Amino acid sequence: MTFRLHPNNSSAALSHSTMGRTDHTKKPTSFVLPDLVSHCKYKLSYNVHGDEVAKQHVKWLDSGCPELNSKSRRAMYGLQAGELTGYTYTTANEERLRVVADFLGYLFHLDNISDGMMTRETDTLASVVMNALWFPEEYRPTEEFPEEPTPGKLARDFWGRCIKDCGPGAQARFKETMGLFFEAVNIQAKARDSAEIPDLESYIDVRRDTSGCKPCWALIEYAVGVDLPDYVAEHPVIEALGQFSNDLVTWSNDIFSYNVEQSRGDTHNMIVILMKYHNYTLQGAIDYVGDRCAETIDNFERHKSLLPSWGPEIDSMVASYVQGLQDWIVGSLHWSFQTHRYFGTRGMIVKKNRHVRLLPLRKKQPIRQH
């Protein structure tokens, strides 16, 4: 998908007007979120096992990460990854929902520990995790890690449970897309090492993998008990539906997470790129990305009507998979105001009034001399 910086529709007219361009004489103190919840007409559902699985999951992750400090543990409970799973895998049975919840919480954990890593460290992290996915029966020691590190142990735990019932096609897609996730994290780390902010198109290409959505799509198959044939999973319409879902989740996340990220100086965000390279104001950039998010929902709905028929059995599998993507679109939007990750405990207030006051920049901690 080509990201158009000069859309023709009137809702994105900020790209042509001075309203969307940077006024260097004024520094914003707040911004208004786009109303994506109202734009998304899909029904919000919640898995009947969601709350119980959420409790089990967070205890699993808490006990599996002994190295975390008290602040990180509070954030882990405030994240509510289990509840996100309940909103996005709405028909899974309790056992499979638990596996997926453990992966989602684990994915956020990987995101947290990879932030700030140098390139070599991300390579090491990838090696540890992929070791568990490719060799789930037993840990294969390396010279650097004679004993398996925590990220490997956690991966081996949920993956060992998953592969008991996960089809070979879905397993292959999960491992392949996790590999792509780590490749993209490595690219992000290189940019961070060199203090570079990528151009928009390069950012979008990498972001589609750093989001971690692609392995989540493979787990939709596992959660609903299907294993799509490769020729179906690789069909252009199926791939387009996956990409539209990925873009919606990813780009809306750039909006929702911007405030927290800007306060700690993070630049891996589309809002930052629009302001740096395309001279947008903060509100102009927020509005522009919001319009693109709305377009992805519309494109997803349009492409559902383009699905071919592969016969009753395959069509039923496809319908379950596409419903899973749809649940991710609506579920992730609503959950983003429930989790404490983006708006703290004020998420429901922000959901209602859509007003976000900018957080102050955090002071960088001085480097301690030893």
Side-chain angles (χ1 to χ4, degrees):
M1 178 179 180
T2 301
F3 206 83
R4 294 175 292 107
L5 281 174
H6 300 287
N8 295 321
N9 61 62
S10 58
S11 64
L14 284 173
S15 60
H16 295 292
S17 72
T18 56
M19 291 177 63
R21 301 302 184 182
T22 303
D23 180 354
H24 295 288
T25 65
K26 295 181 179 180
K27 189 173 182 179
T29 59
S30 64
F31 60 90
V32 178
L33 297 172
D35 193 5
L36 295 174
V37 170
S38 295
H39 186 84
C40 182
K41 306 302 182 183
Y42 296 138
K43 179 182 177 181
L44 179 68
S45 300
Y46 191 72
N47 193 296
V48 294
H49 307 293
D51 288 344
E52 179 57 33
V53 164
K55 293 176 185 176
Q56 296 170 9
H57 155 70
V58 77
K59 290 179 181 177
W60 171 82
L61 193 57
D62 191 356
S63 62
C65 300
E67 72 282 359
L68 294 182
N69 58 34
S70 58
K71 181 180 179 181
S72 297
R73 291 187 190 282
R74 287 194 301 272
M76 178 190 297
Y77 281 85
L79 172 63
Q80 301 184 27
E83 285 80 356
L84 173 60
T85 314
Y87 284 120
T88 52
Y89 297 85
T90 60
T91 61
N93 65 32
E94 186 172 359
E95 182 180 4
R96 296 190 184 200
L97 189 71
R98 169 62 194 281
V99 170
V100 179
D102 288 349
F103 169 69
L104 276 184
Y106 175 74
L107 185 63
F108 279 105
H109 178 61
L110 288 182
D111 182 59
N112 289 339
I113 63 178
S114 65
D115 278 349
M117 277 187 171
M118 305 296 280
T119 305
R120 185 188 65 80
E121 295 171 313
T122 62
D123 286 337
T124 301
L125 179 63
S127 177
V128 166
V129 176
M130 296 308 294
N131 186 310
L133 300 184
W134 282 107
F135 310 110
E137 298 83 6
E138 61 180 357
Y139 176 58
R140 300 199 174 186
T142 63
E143 183 176 343
E144 187 173 8
F145 295 109
E147 294 186 7
E148 189 167 30
T150 296
K153 291 178 180 178
L154 291 171
R156 191 174 305 280
D157 187 309
F158 79 74
W159 187 237
R161 286 177 278 137
C162 180
I163 57 178
K164 294 177 182 177
D165 302 308
C166 190
Q171 285 190 43
R173 283 184 278 278
F174 181 85
K175 289 185 288 189
E176 178 186 4
T177 53
M178 280 300 292
L180 293 174
F181 166 77
F182 283 115
E183 288 178 15
V185 168
N186 187 273
I187 293 172
Q188 180 185 351
K190 288 179 179 177
R192 187 165 51 232
D193 291 352
S194 57
E196 292 180 359
I197 299 177
D199 63 81
L200 190 58
E201 294 294 344
S202 298
Y203 170 81
I204 290 171
D205 286 341
V206 172
R207 190 71 173 94
R208 283 171 175 156
D209 287 313
T210 60
S211 70
C213 283
K214 292 177 181 178
C216 292
W217 296 178
L219 290 183
I220 292 175
E221 298 179 60
Y222 163 73
V224 300
V226 305
D227 192 32
L228 298 177
D230 288 346
Y231 65 86
V232 174
E234 296 168 4
H235 189 278
V237 176
I238 296 291
E239 290 188 338
L241 289 169
Q243 182 164 299
F244 290 134
S245 305
N246 190 345
D247 288 346
L248 181 279
V249 173
T250 303
W251 298 346
S252 64
N253 179 263
D254 275 16
I255 296 173
F256 298 142
S257 65
Y258 171 76
N259 195 23
V260 172
E261 291 179 0
Q262 66 82 27
S263 73
R264 62 186 184 218
D266 290 353
T267 58
H268 189 67
N269 189 299
M270 193 183 299
I271 307 301
V272 174
I273 293 170
L274 287 170
M275 290 191 291
K276 178 176 176 61
Y277 291 121
H278 302 283
N279 209 30
Y280 275 74
T281 63
L282 172 58
Q283 189 62 58
I286 295 286
D287 291 344
Y288 181 79
V289 178
D291 287 334
R292 303 291 72 74
C293 288
E295 281 186 357
T296 65
I297 298 174
D298 297 340
N299 286 331
F300 181 89
E301 182 63 22
R302 218 169 12 248
H303 275 69
K304 285 200 303 181
S305 65
L306 302 178
L307 282 167
S309 175
W310 290 279
E313 182 179 359
I314 299 296
D315 288 355
S316 177
M317 295 166 62
V318 168
S320 296
Y321 176 73
V322 172
Q323 181 64 48
L325 293 175
Q326 184 171 301
D327 287 339
W328 253 101
I329 289 174
V330 62
S332 65
L333 287 176
H334 285 268
W335 170 85
S336 294
F337 297 97
Q338 180 173 325
T339 177
H340 297 175
R341 188 174 177 88
Y342 310 123
F343 308 112
T345 59
R346 300 188 70 256
M348 291 300 105
I349 298 173
V350 174
K351 186 179 184 181
K352 183 177 180 179
N353 62 30
R354 297 188 286 122
H355 184 268
V356 179
R357 183 165 294 279
L358 283 175
L359 295 168
L361 288 174
R362 298 180 188 176
K363 292 182 179 179
K364 292 186 178 181
Q365 297 298 319
I367 300 175
R368 287 164 43 180
Q369 301 295 325
H370 296 281

